Amino acid sequence: MTDTAPRSKPRGGVAQSFHDSLVVTKRNLIRMMRIPEMIIFGLIQPVMFVILFTYVFGGSMQIGDTTDPDVYKNFLMAGIFAQTVTFATAGAGAGIADDMHKGLIDRFRSLPMARGAVLTGRTLADLVQTALTLLVLAIVALIIGWRPGYAAPTNFLKIMAGFGLLLLLGYAFTWIGALIGLSVRTPEAATSGGLIWLFPVTFISNAFVDSSKLPGWLQPIAEWNPFSATVQACRKLFGDPGLSPSDAWPMQNPVWASLIYSILIVIVFRTLSVRKYRSATA
């Protein structure tokens, strides 16, 4: 009897890794949709930051030579956007730690799939969630008074480029979260470990205050901080006020600096994460 059942074309290498990554991405997106509180709480937190910083600190922050709340509101948004995409790191780490803790990774290991696909699929799903969060946050920002082009001319392509840099930064930091998630035993530890280092990274920067107002020894740290480069690039592309006056290369060339920093972080931490994953499941 002749076997007439359709056979799928054999895949290998990059094609199989790409296909398997998309399958894992779909699985994680379906899981996120079945737990809507994950998305809702992820949206509420950045909105609260926008409202608190705008209306609590808005009138006391000096940007340039003014304390006008409208200026600070437009200065602030690039920092809030960048903080939001980087804080997704903790969720990524906790999710991977949860999968490890429940033995799901062992089930994936038993399947004929690319090893790196589990981590790539997870980080791509987190990227989709981050993009959704950014969309909602941008709408809220427009409602409360953020106006792209407030201090310098901009256009639609520049604004989209700014959001592209933000998503790239978020994707890069998600790989740091993946490494943390693979290195701890519980999701709770991954959440704590994923947040502790983010606070100095986001606050020793130009996100919430003009970096020239920081103590002298902190200014170089803030100016060479990868997070600051993306914030500076977004302010430049969005036409927001408060570009940090500095001779530091990342502040003079923020778009290139943001791209280089984010790509380097992806290369380094993806390599370390996949190596850690292979050793953990060996």
Side-chain angles (χ1 to χ4, degrees):
M1 182 176 180
T2 304
D3 183 8
T4 58
R7 296 177 183 275
S8 58
K9 295 181 179 180
R11 295 186 301 272
V14 176
Q16 179 175 0
S17 179
F18 181 72
H19 173 269
D20 294 346
S21 297
L22 291 183
V23 171
V24 178
T25 300
K26 182 180 178 181
R27 172 258 174 193
N28 282 297
L29 288 175
I30 292 174
R31 181 170 178 263
M32 288 178 186
M33 295 302 294
R34 289 176 178 172
I35 311 175
E37 55 266 31
M38 291 175 59
I39 299 176
I40 294 172
F41 290 146
L43 292 172
I44 290 176
Q45 179 179 317
V47 171
M48 288 180 61
F49 271 113
V50 171
I51 295 174
L52 287 174
F53 273 90
T54 300
Y55 295 107
V56 175
F57 301 109
S60 59
M61 294 292 189
Q62 182 175 351
I63 304 300
D65 57 356
T66 180
T67 56
D68 185 341
D70 284 338
V71 173
Y72 185 69
K73 187 187 303 176
N74 284 275
F75 167 86
L76 174 69
M77 285 315 306
I80 292 289
F81 287 143
Q83 184 196 46
T84 299
V85 300
T86 53
F87 270 44
T89 301
I96 290 174
D98 188 46
D99 287 345
M100 293 284 289
H101 184 67
K102 292 179 178 176
L104 187 63
I105 300 296
D106 291 333
R107 291 182 60 192
F108 282 134
R109 184 190 170 202
S110 66
L111 299 175
M113 60 188 299
R115 289 290 180 90
V118 174
L119 300 179
T120 303
R122 174 75 209 194
T123 54
L124 288 177
D126 288 331
L127 181 65
V128 173
Q129 184 178 1
T130 300
L132 175 63
T133 304
L134 266 185
L135 174 63
V136 174
L137 188 59
I139 294 173
V140 172
L142 290 171
I143 292 173
I144 68 168
W146 175 56
R147 295 294 178 266
Y150 183 88
T154 187
N155 55 48
F156 179 77
L157 290 179
K158 288 183 178 179
I159 293 171
M160 290 299 101
F163 281 111
L165 289 178
L166 287 166
L167 289 175
L168 180 59
L169 178 73
Y171 185 67
F173 274 46
T174 299
W175 280 107
I176 301 177
L179 182 60
I180 294 172
L182 290 166
S183 304
V184 298
R185 297 181 180 179
T186 65
E188 292 80 8
T191 301
S192 300
L195 287 174
I196 289 173
W197 64 276
L198 277 174
F199 281 101
V201 168
T202 55
F203 281 89
I204 305 177
S205 72
N206 58 358
F208 307 108
V209 298
D210 186 343
S211 58
S212 64
K213 302 292 191 298
L214 295 174
W217 64 274
L218 271 182
Q219 289 181 22
I221 299 174
E223 291 166 352
W224 286 87
N225 182 346
F227 185 84
S228 294
T230 300
V231 172
Q232 179 91 335
C234 288
R235 286 195 181 118
K236 186 175 182 179
L237 293 167
F238 293 157
D240 290 342
L243 288 174
S244 301
S246 169
D247 294 329
W249 187 83
M251 296 295 100
Q252 293 289 325
N253 305 275
V255 175
W256 283 110
S258 177
L259 285 171
I260 293 171
Y261 275 139
S262 296
I263 291 171
L264 282 177
I265 291 171
V266 170
I267 293 172
V268 171
F269 283 92
R270 188 183 188 282
T271 302
L272 293 175
S273 297
V274 172
R275 185 176 300 174
K276 185 73 177 179
Y277 173 78
R278 286 174 174 167
S279 65
T281 58

